[in-house]
Amino acid sequence: MSIRVALHHKTNYNYDQLIQLTPHLVRLRPAPHTRTPVHRYSLKVEPREHFVHWQQDPFGNHVASFTFREKTRRFSVEVDLVVEMVTINPFDFFVEEYAENWPFNYEAHLKKDLSPYLELKEQGKLLRAWVGAVPREKKHIIDLLVDLNRRLSLDIGYVIRMEPGVQSCEQTLDLAKGSCRDSAWLLVQILRHFGLAARFVSGYLVQL
């Protein structure tokens, strides 16, 4: 049995004087490839006197480009969304034969396309020690991914963190706790250290 969830997101900026807003890019629309059914979506921006053009970024995400004509004391972005919470099998995917066991090498043309997702952004002492503690024997790729997730969930406690931004991997490992975005960023870097292409995506955590 599925459940529909309504999400309301609102961000307000208030200024102490009239200002001219520069063009804004708003990335608050579900990705076109999401498997969660989206039944309703709306985006409202104030000041209402504006021009909006939808475009797609290199990752296929929808981006709204807003330009404003008049000065204002207030800027707000409001999103309403209705989605259907459905059960999705996380193992419903196909693995190419050459990638069934780790370690493996990506095919040359694919590795070139995946190069942004293989770039190591962090190589701190704690991160390298965590990666170095994982056995390096040949392993089925799915078993490796499950094991890395399990190890991370045991080592890093989950906390709700209201501060903006993402912790560095060193911060998260040193504190042994972080928000979902902190753990996600840490996992991305861990996977890249294992030669596995990974990227960071954002979303909402819905706890019913």
Side-chain angles (χ1 to χ4, degrees):
M1 179 179 175
S2 61
I3 300 175
R4 290 194 179 188
V5 175
L7 184 148
H8 179 72
H9 174 121
K10 190 170 186 177
T11 302
N12 282 320
Y13 297 89
N14 295 298
Y15 309 98
D16 59 5
Q17 61 183 348
L18 286 172
I19 64 163
Q20 181 63 57
L21 292 168
T22 57
H24 279 58
L25 298 178
V26 177
R27 297 177 173 87
L28 287 173
R29 179 172 164 178
H33 55 270
T34 180
R35 292 189 289 176
T36 300
V38 179
H39 294 282
R40 192 177 308 147
Y41 170 84
S42 69
L43 171 64
K44 298 177 183 177
V45 169
E46 293 185 6
R48 297 190 178 186
E49 294 297 321
H50 60 251
F51 297 100
V52 58
H53 296 90
W54 284 97
Q55 56 197 46
Q56 284 187 295
D57 67 12
F59 307 108
N61 299 309
H62 292 296
V63 182
S65 175
F66 287 91
T67 54
F68 304 90
R69 296 188 294 183
E70 299 178 355
K71 292 185 177 182
T72 184
R73 289 180 180 271
R74 180 172 177 268
F75 172 62
S76 73
V77 179
E78 190 171 355
V79 173
D80 283 290
L81 191 68
V82 176
V83 299
E84 187 172 350
M85 304 293 289
V86 296
T87 301
I88 297 173
N89 178 9
F91 298 103
D92 183 22
F93 56 82
F94 174 78
V95 177
E96 295 286 353
E97 185 177 352
Y98 74 86
E100 286 186 352
N101 294 293
W102 180 87
F104 63 85
N105 292 314
Y106 288 106
E107 296 178 347
H109 70 281
L110 182 58
K111 187 172 184 178
K112 181 179 179 181
D113 292 337
L114 293 175
S115 58
Y117 313 124
L118 290 165
E119 182 181 357
L120 297 178
K121 295 287 188 178
E122 297 196 36
Q123 301 188 58
K125 181 180 179 180
L126 295 178
L127 176 58
R128 286 185 282 108
W130 196 99
V131 171
V134 179
R136 283 303 201 268
E137 73 269 9
K138 182 178 180 180
K139 198 167 191 176
H140 192 276
I141 185 60
I142 296 177
D143 293 337
L144 174 67
L145 295 174
V146 170
D147 185 53
L148 291 176
N149 273 276
R150 180 186 59 80
R151 286 171 177 263
L152 192 62
S153 68
L154 292 174
D155 290 347
I156 306 299
Y158 170 69
V159 295
I160 296 175
R161 193 169 64 80
M162 303 304 293
E163 296 83 3
V166 181
Q167 291 178 172
S168 69
C169 295
E170 295 299 284
Q171 285 179 290
T172 302
L173 289 168
D174 182 52
L175 295 170
K177 61 183 179 180
S179 66
C180 47
R181 64 185 184 275
D182 301 321
S183 292
W185 177 244
L186 174 56
L187 181 59
V188 165
Q189 293 305 306
I190 289 171
L191 292 172
R192 291 183 184 182
H193 274 270
F194 279 87
L196 301 172
R199 65 172 177 147
F200 183 91
V201 298
S202 61
Y204 294 99
L205 175 62
V206 177
Q207 295 176 306
L208 302 176

Short mmCIF file of all heavy atoms in Angstrom, two decimals, residues 100-152:
data_model
loop_
_atom_site.label_atom_id
_atom_site.label_comp_id
_atom_site.label_asym_id
_atom_site.label_seq_id
_atom_site.Cartn_x
_atom_site.Cartn_y
_atom_site.Cartn_z
N GLU A 100 31.38 -7.18 -12.47
CA GLU A 100 30.74 -8.02 -11.45
C GLU A 100 31.59 -8.20 -10.21
O GLU A 100 31.06 -8.36 -9.11
CB GLU A 100 30.37 -9.38 -12.05
CG GLU A 100 29.18 -9.34 -12.99
CD GLU A 100 28.78 -10.73 -13.45
OE1 GLU A 100 29.52 -11.69 -13.15
OE2 GLU A 100 27.73 -10.85 -14.09
N ASN A 101 32.90 -8.17 -10.38
CA ASN A 101 33.79 -8.34 -9.24
C ASN A 101 34.76 -7.17 -9.15
O ASN A 101 35.29 -6.70 -10.16
CB ASN A 101 34.58 -9.65 -9.36
CG ASN A 101 33.69 -10.87 -9.25
OD1 ASN A 101 33.12 -11.15 -8.20
ND2 ASN A 101 33.55 -11.60 -10.35
N TRP A 102 34.97 -6.72 -7.92
CA TRP A 102 35.92 -5.63 -7.67
C TRP A 102 37.26 -6.22 -7.24
O TRP A 102 37.27 -7.21 -6.53
CB TRP A 102 35.37 -4.73 -6.56
CG TRP A 102 36.28 -3.58 -6.25
CD1 TRP A 102 36.30 -2.36 -6.85
CD2 TRP A 102 37.33 -3.56 -5.27
NE1 TRP A 102 37.28 -1.58 -6.30
CE2 TRP A 102 37.93 -2.31 -5.33
CE3 TRP A 102 37.81 -4.51 -4.34
CZ2 TRP A 102 38.99 -1.94 -4.51
CZ3 TRP A 102 38.87 -4.16 -3.53
CH2 TRP A 102 39.45 -2.89 -3.62
N PRO A 103 38.38 -5.65 -7.69
CA PRO A 103 38.52 -4.44 -8.51
C PRO A 103 38.32 -4.73 -10.00
O PRO A 103 38.51 -5.86 -10.46
CB PRO A 103 39.94 -3.99 -8.21
CG PRO A 103 40.68 -5.25 -7.88
CD PRO A 103 39.69 -6.14 -7.19
N PHE A 104 37.95 -3.69 -10.73
CA PHE A 104 37.76 -3.80 -12.18
C PHE A 104 38.14 -2.46 -12.81
O PHE A 104 38.31 -1.45 -12.12
CB PHE A 104 36.32 -4.16 -12.52
CG PHE A 104 35.32 -3.12 -12.10
CD1 PHE A 104 35.03 -2.04 -12.92
CD2 PHE A 104 34.65 -3.23 -10.89
CE1 PHE A 104 34.11 -1.07 -12.53
CE2 PHE A 104 33.73 -2.27 -10.49
CZ PHE A 104 33.45 -1.18 -11.31
N ASN A 105 38.28 -2.46 -14.11
CA ASN A 105 38.58 -1.24 -14.84
C ASN A 105 37.39 -0.88 -15.73
O ASN A 105 36.85 -1.74 -16.44
CB ASN A 105 39.83 -1.42 -15.71
CG ASN A 105 41.09 -1.57 -14.87
OD1 ASN A 105 41.31 -0.82 -13.92
ND2 ASN A 105 41.91 -2.56 -15.21
N TYR A 106 37.01 0.38 -15.70
CA TYR A 106 35.94 0.83 -16.60
C TYR A 106 36.43 0.78 -18.03
O TYR A 106 37.63 0.97 -18.30
CB TYR A 106 35.54 2.27 -16.26
CG TYR A 106 34.75 2.42 -14.98
CD1 TYR A 106 35.34 2.96 -13.83
CD2 TYR A 106 33.41 2.04 -14.91
CE1 TYR A 106 34.61 3.12 -12.66
CE2 TYR A 106 32.68 2.20 -13.73
CZ TYR A 106 33.29 2.74 -12.61
OH TYR A 106 32.57 2.89 -11.45
N GLU A 107 35.50 0.55 -18.95
CA GLU A 107 35.86 0.64 -20.36
C GLU A 107 36.31 2.07 -20.66
O GLU A 107 35.82 3.03 -20.05
CB GLU A 107 34.65 0.26 -21.22
CG GLU A 107 34.23 -1.20 -21.04
CD GLU A 107 33.01 -1.55 -21.86
OE1 GLU A 107 32.34 -0.63 -22.36
OE2 GLU A 107 32.71 -2.76 -21.99
N ALA A 108 37.26 2.21 -21.58
CA ALA A 108 37.93 3.49 -21.81
C ALA A 108 36.96 4.64 -22.07
O ALA A 108 37.06 5.71 -21.47
CB ALA A 108 38.91 3.35 -22.97
N HIS A 109 35.98 4.41 -22.96
CA HIS A 109 35.07 5.52 -23.30
C HIS A 109 34.19 5.88 -22.11
O HIS A 109 33.86 7.06 -21.90
CB HIS A 109 34.19 5.13 -24.50
CG HIS A 109 33.16 4.07 -24.20
ND1 HIS A 109 33.48 2.73 -24.12
CD2 HIS A 109 31.83 4.16 -23.94
CE1 HIS A 109 32.39 2.05 -23.82
NE2 HIS A 109 31.38 2.89 -23.71
N LEU A 110 33.83 4.89 -21.30
CA LEU A 110 32.98 5.14 -20.13
C LEU A 110 33.77 5.86 -19.04
O LEU A 110 33.25 6.77 -18.38
CB LEU A 110 32.42 3.82 -19.60
CG LEU A 110 31.47 3.91 -18.41
CD1 LEU A 110 30.27 4.79 -18.73
CD2 LEU A 110 31.01 2.51 -17.99
N LYS A 111 35.01 5.46 -18.85
CA LYS A 111 35.85 6.10 -17.84
C LYS A 111 36.02 7.59 -18.13
O LYS A 111 36.05 8.41 -17.21
CB LYS A 111 37.21 5.41 -17.75
CG LYS A 111 38.07 5.90 -16.60
CD LYS A 111 39.32 5.07 -16.44
CE LYS A 111 40.11 5.52 -15.21
NZ LYS A 111 41.32 4.69 -14.99
N LYS A 112 36.11 7.92 -19.40
CA LYS A 112 36.24 9.33 -19.78
C LYS A 112 34.99 10.10 -19.40
O LYS A 112 35.06 11.21 -18.85
CB LYS A 112 36.49 9.44 -21.29
CG LYS A 112 36.66 10.87 -21.78
CD LYS A 112 36.93 10.90 -23.28
CE LYS A 112 37.08 12.35 -23.77
NZ LYS A 112 37.32 12.39 -25.24
N ASP A 113 33.82 9.52 -19.65
CA ASP A 113 32.56 10.18 -19.31
C ASP A 113 32.37 10.29 -17.80
O ASP A 113 31.75 11.23 -17.30
CB ASP A 113 31.37 9.42 -19.91
CG ASP A 113 31.33 9.50 -21.43
OD1 ASP A 113 31.92 10.45 -22.00
OD2 ASP A 113 30.72 8.60 -22.05
N LEU A 114 32.91 9.31 -17.07
CA LEU A 114 32.72 9.26 -15.62
C LEU A 114 33.82 10.00 -14.86
O LEU A 114 33.77 10.04 -13.62
CB LEU A 114 32.69 7.81 -15.15
CG LEU A 114 31.50 6.96 -15.60
CD1 LEU A 114 31.68 5.52 -15.14
CD2 LEU A 114 30.18 7.53 -15.06
N SER A 115 34.75 10.60 -15.55
CA SER A 115 35.90 11.22 -14.88
C SER A 115 35.53 12.22 -13.79
O SER A 115 36.19 12.26 -12.74
CB SER A 115 36.83 11.87 -15.91
OG SER A 115 36.15 12.84 -16.67
N PRO A 116 34.46 13.05 -13.95
CA PRO A 116 34.11 13.97 -12.85
C PRO A 116 33.70 13.24 -11.58
O PRO A 116 33.83 13.77 -10.48
CB PRO A 116 32.93 14.77 -13.42
CG PRO A 116 33.06 14.66 -14.91
CD PRO A 116 33.61 13.28 -15.13
N TYR A 117 33.19 12.01 -11.73
CA TYR A 117 32.70 11.25 -10.58
C TYR A 117 33.77 10.32 -10.00
O TYR A 117 33.50 9.55 -9.07
CB TYR A 117 31.48 10.42 -10.98
CG TYR A 117 30.47 11.23 -11.76
CD1 TYR A 117 30.05 10.81 -13.02
CD2 TYR A 117 29.96 12.42 -11.26
CE1 TYR A 117 29.14 11.55 -13.75
CE2 TYR A 117 29.04 13.16 -11.98
CZ TYR A 117 28.65 12.73 -13.22
OH TYR A 117 27.74 13.47 -13.94
N LEU A 118 34.97 10.40 -10.54
CA LEU A 118 36.10 9.64 -10.02
C LEU A 118 37.13 10.55 -9.36
O LEU A 118 38.10 10.07 -8.77
CB LEU A 118 36.78 8.86 -11.16
CG LEU A 118 35.97 7.69 -11.73
CD1 LEU A 118 36.55 7.24 -13.08
CD2 LEU A 118 35.95 6.52 -10.76
N GLU A 119 36.92 11.85 -9.46
CA GLU A 119 37.86 12.82 -8.91
C GLU A 119 37.86 12.80 -7.39
O GLU A 119 36.81 12.88 -6.75
CB GLU A 119 37.50 14.23 -9.40
CG GLU A 119 38.47 15.30 -8.93
CD GLU A 119 38.08 16.68 -9.41
OE1 GLU A 119 37.08 16.80 -10.16
OE2 GLU A 119 38.76 17.64 -9.03
N LEU A 120 39.05 12.69 -6.81
CA LEU A 120 39.18 12.66 -5.35
C LEU A 120 39.22 14.09 -4.84
O LEU A 120 40.17 14.82 -5.07
CB LEU A 120 40.45 11.91 -4.96
CG LEU A 120 40.52 10.43 -5.34
CD1 LEU A 120 41.86 9.84 -4.93
CD2 LEU A 120 39.38 9.66 -4.71
N LYS A 121 38.18 14.48 -4.12
CA LYS A 121 38.11 15.83 -3.57
C LYS A 121 38.77 15.92 -2.20
O LYS A 121 39.18 17.00 -1.77
CB LYS A 121 36.64 16.25 -3.44
CG LYS A 121 35.90 16.39 -4.77
CD LYS A 121 36.32 17.62 -5.53
CE LYS A 121 35.44 17.84 -6.74
NZ LYS A 121 35.81 19.07 -7.47
N GLU A 122 38.83 14.79 -1.48
CA GLU A 122 39.42 14.78 -0.15
C GLU A 122 40.33 13.57 0.02
O GLU A 122 40.00 12.47 -0.42
CB GLU A 122 38.32 14.76 0.92
CG GLU A 122 37.42 16.00 0.91
CD GLU A 122 36.62 16.12 2.18
OE1 GLU A 122 37.15 15.78 3.27
OE2 GLU A 122 35.46 16.57 2.10
N GLN A 123 41.47 13.82 0.65
CA GLN A 123 42.43 12.74 0.89
C GLN A 123 43.08 12.90 2.26
O GLN A 123 44.27 12.71 2.42
CB GLN A 123 43.50 12.72 -0.21
CG GLN A 123 42.94 12.54 -1.62
CD GLN A 123 44.03 12.34 -2.65
OE1 GLN A 123 44.83 11.41 -2.55
NE2 GLN A 123 44.06 13.20 -3.66
N GLY A 124 42.26 13.24 3.24
CA GLY A 124 42.77 13.47 4.58
C GLY A 124 43.25 12.20 5.27
O GLY A 124 43.00 11.08 4.82
N LYS A 125 43.94 12.38 6.39
CA LYS A 125 44.54 11.28 7.12
C LYS A 125 43.50 10.28 7.61
O LYS A 125 43.66 9.06 7.46
CB LYS A 125 45.34 11.82 8.30
CG LYS A 125 46.04 10.76 9.14
CD LYS A 125 46.82 11.40 10.27
CE LYS A 125 47.49 10.33 11.14
NZ LYS A 125 48.26 10.97 12.27
N LEU A 126 42.40 10.78 8.19
CA LEU A 126 41.37 9.89 8.73
C LEU A 126 40.66 9.13 7.61
O LEU A 126 40.34 7.96 7.75
CB LEU A 126 40.36 10.68 9.55
CG LEU A 126 40.89 11.33 10.84
CD1 LEU A 126 39.79 12.14 11.53
CD2 LEU A 126 41.44 10.26 11.78
N LEU A 127 40.42 9.82 6.51
CA LEU A 127 39.75 9.18 5.37
C LEU A 127 40.63 8.07 4.80
O LEU A 127 40.15 6.96 4.53
CB LEU A 127 39.42 10.21 4.30
CG LEU A 127 38.81 9.68 3.00
CD1 LEU A 127 37.51 8.92 3.27
CD2 LEU A 127 38.56 10.82 2.01
N ARG A 128 41.91 8.36 4.62
CA ARG A 128 42.82 7.35 4.07
C ARG A 128 42.95 6.16 5.01
O ARG A 128 43.05 5.01 4.58
CB ARG A 128 44.19 7.98 3.78
CG ARG A 128 44.19 8.88 2.56
CD ARG A 128 45.58 9.40 2.20
NE ARG A 128 46.00 10.50 3.05
CZ ARG A 128 46.92 10.43 3.98
NH1 ARG A 128 47.56 9.27 4.20
NH2 ARG A 128 47.24 11.48 4.71
N ALA A 129 42.92 6.42 6.32
CA ALA A 129 43.00 5.32 7.29
C ALA A 129 41.75 4.46 7.23
O ALA A 129 41.83 3.22 7.31
CB ALA A 129 43.19 5.89 8.70
N TRP A 130 40.57 5.10 7.09
CA TRP A 130 39.31 4.34 7.01
C TRP A 130 39.31 3.46 5.77
O TRP A 130 38.97 2.27 5.83
CB TRP A 130 38.14 5.31 6.97
CG TRP A 130 36.80 4.69 7.27
CD1 TRP A 130 36.14 4.70 8.45
CD2 TRP A 130 35.96 3.95 6.34
NE1 TRP A 130 34.94 4.01 8.34
CE2 TRP A 130 34.81 3.55 7.06
CE3 TRP A 130 36.07 3.60 5.01
CZ2 TRP A 130 33.77 2.82 6.47
CZ3 TRP A 130 35.06 2.87 4.41
CH2 TRP A 130 33.93 2.48 5.14
N VAL A 131 39.70 4.03 4.65
CA VAL A 131 39.74 3.28 3.40
C VAL A 131 40.76 2.16 3.47
O VAL A 131 40.53 1.03 3.02
CB VAL A 131 40.05 4.22 2.21
CG1 VAL A 131 40.31 3.42 0.93
CG2 VAL A 131 38.90 5.21 1.99
N GLY A 132 41.92 2.44 4.09
CA GLY A 132 42.99 1.44 4.19
C GLY A 132 42.64 0.26 5.07
O GLY A 132 43.25 -0.81 4.94
N ALA A 133 41.66 0.43 5.97
CA ALA A 133 41.28 -0.65 6.88
C ALA A 133 40.35 -1.66 6.23
O ALA A 133 40.09 -2.72 6.81
CB ALA A 133 40.62 -0.07 8.12
N VAL A 134 39.85 -1.37 5.03
CA VAL A 134 38.94 -2.28 4.33
C VAL A 134 39.77 -3.32 3.58
O VAL A 134 40.67 -2.96 2.82
CB VAL A 134 38.03 -1.52 3.35
CG1 VAL A 134 37.11 -2.48 2.61
CG2 VAL A 134 37.22 -0.47 4.09
N PRO A 135 39.50 -4.61 3.77
CA PRO A 135 40.24 -5.66 3.05
C PRO A 135 40.22 -5.44 1.54
O PRO A 135 39.22 -4.98 0.99
CB PRO A 135 39.50 -6.94 3.45
CG PRO A 135 38.87 -6.62 4.75
CD PRO A 135 38.48 -5.17 4.67
N ARG A 136 41.32 -5.80 0.89
CA ARG A 136 41.46 -5.55 -0.53
C ARG A 136 41.30 -6.80 -1.40
O ARG A 136 41.65 -6.78 -2.57
CB ARG A 136 42.83 -4.93 -0.81
CG ARG A 136 42.94 -3.45 -0.44
CD ARG A 136 41.88 -2.65 -1.19
NE ARG A 136 42.19 -1.25 -1.30
CZ ARG A 136 41.79 -0.32 -0.44
NH1 ARG A 136 41.11 -0.70 0.64
NH2 ARG A 136 42.07 0.94 -0.63
N GLU A 137 40.76 -7.88 -0.87
CA GLU A 137 40.63 -9.08 -1.69
C GLU A 137 39.52 -8.90 -2.72
O GLU A 137 38.63 -8.06 -2.57
CB GLU A 137 40.36 -10.31 -0.82
CG GLU A 137 38.95 -10.36 -0.23
CD GLU A 137 38.84 -9.70 1.12
OE1 GLU A 137 39.83 -9.05 1.53
OE2 GLU A 137 37.78 -9.83 1.77
N LYS A 138 39.57 -9.74 -3.76
CA LYS A 138 38.55 -9.71 -4.80
C LYS A 138 37.18 -9.97 -4.18
O LYS A 138 37.01 -10.85 -3.34
CB LYS A 138 38.86 -10.77 -5.86
CG LYS A 138 37.89 -10.81 -7.02
CD LYS A 138 38.32 -11.88 -8.03
CE LYS A 138 37.35 -11.93 -9.21
NZ LYS A 138 37.75 -12.97 -10.19
N LYS A 139 36.18 -9.19 -4.62
CA LYS A 139 34.87 -9.29 -4.00
C LYS A 139 33.79 -8.93 -5.00
O LYS A 139 33.99 -8.07 -5.87
CB LYS A 139 34.79 -8.35 -2.79
CG LYS A 139 33.68 -8.66 -1.81
CD LYS A 139 33.90 -7.88 -0.51
CE LYS A 139 32.96 -8.37 0.57
NZ LYS A 139 33.23 -7.69 1.87
N HIS A 140 32.64 -9.61 -4.89
CA HIS A 140 31.52 -9.27 -5.76
C HIS A 140 31.13 -7.82 -5.50
O HIS A 140 31.07 -7.37 -4.36
CB HIS A 140 30.33 -10.20 -5.49
CG HIS A 140 29.25 -10.10 -6.52
ND1 HIS A 140 28.28 -9.13 -6.47
CD2 HIS A 140 29.01 -10.82 -7.65
CE1 HIS A 140 27.46 -9.26 -7.49
NE2 HIS A 140 27.89 -10.28 -8.23
N ILE A 141 30.87 -7.06 -6.55
CA ILE A 141 30.67 -5.62 -6.43
C ILE A 141 29.51 -5.28 -5.50
O ILE A 141 29.59 -4.33 -4.71
CB ILE A 141 30.47 -4.98 -7.83
CG1 ILE A 141 30.38 -3.45 -7.71
CG2 ILE A 141 29.26 -5.54 -8.53
CD1 ILE A 141 31.60 -2.79 -7.11
N ILE A 142 28.41 -6.04 -5.56
CA ILE A 142 27.27 -5.74 -4.69
C ILE A 142 27.62 -6.00 -3.24
O ILE A 142 27.28 -5.21 -2.34
CB ILE A 142 26.03 -6.55 -5.12
CG1 ILE A 142 25.58 -6.12 -6.52
CG2 ILE A 142 24.89 -6.36 -4.12
CD1 ILE A 142 24.40 -6.90 -7.05
N ASP A 143 28.36 -7.08 -2.99
CA ASP A 143 28.79 -7.38 -1.62
C ASP A 143 29.70 -6.27 -1.09
O ASP A 143 29.62 -5.89 0.08
CB ASP A 143 29.52 -8.72 -1.57
CG ASP A 143 28.60 -9.89 -1.86
OD1 ASP A 143 27.38 -9.75 -1.67
OD2 ASP A 143 29.10 -10.95 -2.28
N LEU A 144 30.55 -5.73 -1.96
CA LEU A 144 31.45 -4.65 -1.55
C LEU A 144 30.64 -3.40 -1.18
O LEU A 144 30.89 -2.77 -0.15
CB LEU A 144 32.44 -4.33 -2.67
CG LEU A 144 33.33 -3.11 -2.40
CD1 LEU A 144 34.29 -3.39 -1.24
CD2 LEU A 144 34.11 -2.71 -3.66
N LEU A 145 29.68 -3.05 -2.02
CA LEU A 145 28.87 -1.85 -1.76
C LEU A 145 28.08 -1.99 -0.46
O LEU A 145 28.00 -1.04 0.33
CB LEU A 145 27.93 -1.59 -2.93
CG LEU A 145 28.61 -1.23 -4.27
CD1 LEU A 145 27.56 -1.13 -5.38
CD2 LEU A 145 29.39 0.06 -4.15
N VAL A 146 27.51 -3.16 -0.25
CA VAL A 146 26.75 -3.40 0.99
C VAL A 146 27.68 -3.31 2.20
O VAL A 146 27.34 -2.71 3.23
CB VAL A 146 26.04 -4.76 0.94
CG1 VAL A 146 25.46 -5.11 2.30
CG2 VAL A 146 24.94 -4.75 -0.11
N ASP A 147 28.87 -3.87 2.07
CA ASP A 147 29.82 -3.87 3.18
C ASP A 147 30.28 -2.45 3.51
O ASP A 147 30.38 -2.08 4.69
CB ASP A 147 31.03 -4.74 2.83
CG ASP A 147 32.00 -4.87 4.00
OD1 ASP A 147 31.55 -5.23 5.09
OD2 ASP A 147 33.20 -4.59 3.80
N LEU A 148 30.56 -1.64 2.49
CA LEU A 148 30.99 -0.26 2.73
C LEU A 148 29.88 0.55 3.41
O LEU A 148 30.15 1.33 4.33
CB LEU A 148 31.40 0.40 1.41
CG LEU A 148 32.68 -0.14 0.76
CD1 LEU A 148 32.91 0.52 -0.58
CD2 LEU A 148 33.88 0.05 1.67
N ASN A 149 28.65 0.36 2.96
CA ASN A 149 27.52 1.04 3.59
C ASN A 149 27.36 0.60 5.05
O ASN A 149 27.12 1.43 5.93
CB ASN A 149 26.23 0.74 2.82
CG ASN A 149 25.99 1.70 1.68
OD1 ASN A 149 25.46 2.79 1.88
ND2 ASN A 149 26.39 1.30 0.48
N ARG A 150 27.51 -0.71 5.28
CA ARG A 150 27.37 -1.23 6.64
C ARG A 150 28.45 -0.66 7.56
O ARG A 150 28.17 -0.23 8.69
CB ARG A 150 27.45 -2.76 6.62
CG ARG A 150 27.31 -3.42 7.99
CD ARG A 150 27.55 -4.92 7.91
NE ARG A 150 28.88 -5.23 7.39
CZ ARG A 150 30.00 -5.18 8.13
NH1 ARG A 150 29.94 -4.85 9.41
NH2 ARG A 150 31.17 -5.48 7.59
N ARG A 151 29.69 -0.68 7.09
CA ARG A 151 30.79 -0.15 7.89
C ARG A 151 30.57 1.32 8.24
O ARG A 151 30.78 1.76 9.37
CB ARG A 151 32.11 -0.30 7.14
CG ARG A 151 32.65 -1.72 7.08
CD ARG A 151 33.84 -1.81 6.12
NE ARG A 151 34.42 -3.14 6.09
CZ ARG A 151 35.48 -3.51 6.79
NH1 ARG A 151 36.09 -2.64 7.58
NH2 ARG A 151 35.96 -4.75 6.71
N LEU A 152 30.12 2.08 7.25
CA LEU A 152 29.90 3.51 7.46
C LEU A 152 28.77 3.75 8.46
O LEU A 152 28.88 4.62 9.34
CB LEU A 152 29.57 4.19 6.12
CG LEU A 152 29.60 5.72 6.12
CD1 LEU A 152 30.98 6.22 6.48
CD2 LEU A 152 29.17 6.26 4.77
#
